[in-house]
Amino acid sequence: MNITEKRKILFDGLLPILQPLEYKSFKTGGNPCFIYFKNDIAIKIGFNFFDMGDITFSGFGITHYEVEDYILDLDYFQDFFKEKKRHHLPTVYDWTTKGPFGFNATTHEEIEQGIELIKNYINGDGKLFLDNYLSLPNILKRMDELDSEGILWHDRKNGGILAGTLDANFRALIISKLCNDTNYESKKAMVDLKLEKPNYANWKPYYEKLKSVLPSIQPKYNLDC
């Protein structure tokens, strides 16, 4: 069974659960996925098909464009993210759910079993993740919990939630501003200190551009809401 056949079985099996939820399927290319995009929120679950037979899938990623539009304005990322079609810069990722996020797929029966595994994630831990982190104040609450534990906001191995590498810090400050965070200044001071490191010099122009915008970001939420 080739990858095209496997992809058809997988997507045909997932369509009945995701299509009614208004997800759009992207079956071709190196990044087959389902994406929901509405009201400036994008949600993505993606798949990888390996020649050895395995299929893996990602946890949910959520794009909050009230955050990501500021990131896109920094002109660091490619133009295809600005199209807001198939490619979306994620704000948060579900790195906390324990797998498995893959399965052997050499037979039709194994793929059917894998479809049930994915459905269980979508209806279980994945739904809990979406229910929680579609809210920016809840993302900020998690950021503060990570701070209290001395864990980086984007440390995927230890319960981090923000997407990206150093740009995760940019997202953190935007979210902090949007949520009327009383600890915004301390978060900014921490990011300022981090961006002074010589090995991050190539990020400095983008951070300076963001800093010129941050004062104009008006709060939309309160942490307690």
Side-chain angles (χ1 to χ4, degrees):
M1 190 185 310
N2 61 37
I3 288 177
T4 300
E5 293 169 321
K6 292 180 182 181
R7 189 163 52 221
K8 184 179 187 310
I9 296 170
L10 182 76
F11 275 67
D12 285 353
L14 292 175
L15 273 173
I17 185 173
L18 289 172
Q19 198 169 49
L21 299 175
E22 300 184 67
Y23 283 77
K24 182 178 180 180
S25 62
F26 294 86
K27 300 180 184 179
T28 58
N31 185 28
C33 57
F34 282 91
I35 294 174
Y36 168 95
F37 182 36
K38 192 174 184 180
N39 299 328
D40 285 330
I41 295 286
I43 303 169
K44 176 181 176 181
I45 182 170
F47 307 89
N48 284 304
F49 295 77
F50 294 92
D51 291 336
M52 295 297 291
D54 291 354
I55 297 175
T56 61
F57 63 99
S58 68
F60 280 122
I62 305 174
T63 301
H64 289 268
Y65 273 104
E66 58 190 335
V67 175
E68 297 308 317
D69 279 340
Y70 290 107
I71 300 294
L72 290 171
D73 283 344
L74 301 179
D75 292 325
Y76 178 80
F77 295 96
Q78 298 95 324
D79 286 340
F80 59 67
F81 282 113
K82 298 180 181 182
E83 295 177 359
K84 298 182 181 180
K85 293 180 181 178
R86 175 173 181 153
H87 302 285
H88 301 269
L89 278 177
T91 308
V92 292
Y93 258 127
D94 182 8
W95 286 317
T96 58
T97 297
K98 304 301 181 185
F101 283 98
F103 50 93
N104 190 272
T106 55
T107 67
H108 194 290
E109 290 74 16
E110 287 174 334
I111 298 174
E112 291 291 343
Q113 292 171 4
I115 290 170
E116 291 305 309
L117 178 68
I118 297 168
K119 285 181 178 179
N120 288 338
Y121 168 74
I122 292 170
N123 290 320
D125 289 337
K127 184 178 185 300
L128 291 175
F129 173 81
L130 296 182
D131 288 346
N132 199 17
Y133 295 116
L134 285 171
S135 159
L136 285 189
N138 283 350
I139 295 173
L140 180 59
K141 287 180 183 178
R142 180 58 186 156
M143 287 165 50
D144 287 341
E145 290 171 359
L146 292 166
D147 279 339
S148 69
E149 298 168 15
I151 299 172
L152 296 176
W153 298 314
H154 62 290
D155 186 346
R156 66 179 67 187
K157 294 182 179 179
N158 293 294
I161 188 170
L162 294 186
T165 54
L166 203 65
D167 51 307
N169 296 278
F170 300 174
R171 293 182 172 89
L173 295 183
I174 297 165
I175 292 168
S176 181
K177 285 284 289 185
L178 287 169
C179 291
N180 201 24
D181 181 12
T182 56
N183 294 317
Y184 166 76
E185 291 297 339
S186 63
K187 287 182 173 67
K188 183 176 177 298
M190 183 169 59
V191 176
D192 284 345
L193 187 62
K194 185 177 296 185
L195 265 293
E196 290 300 323
K197 295 181 180 179
N199 52 320
Y200 295 148
N202 59 321
W203 285 92
K204 196 71 179 292
Y206 303 106
Y207 186 48
E208 292 299 324
K209 187 173 182 179
L210 177 64
K211 284 199 296 184
S212 71
V213 175
L214 285 170
S216 68
I217 298 177
Q218 297 300 310
K220 295 177 64 176
Y221 311 97
N222 288 309
L223 186 58
D224 294 331
C225 69

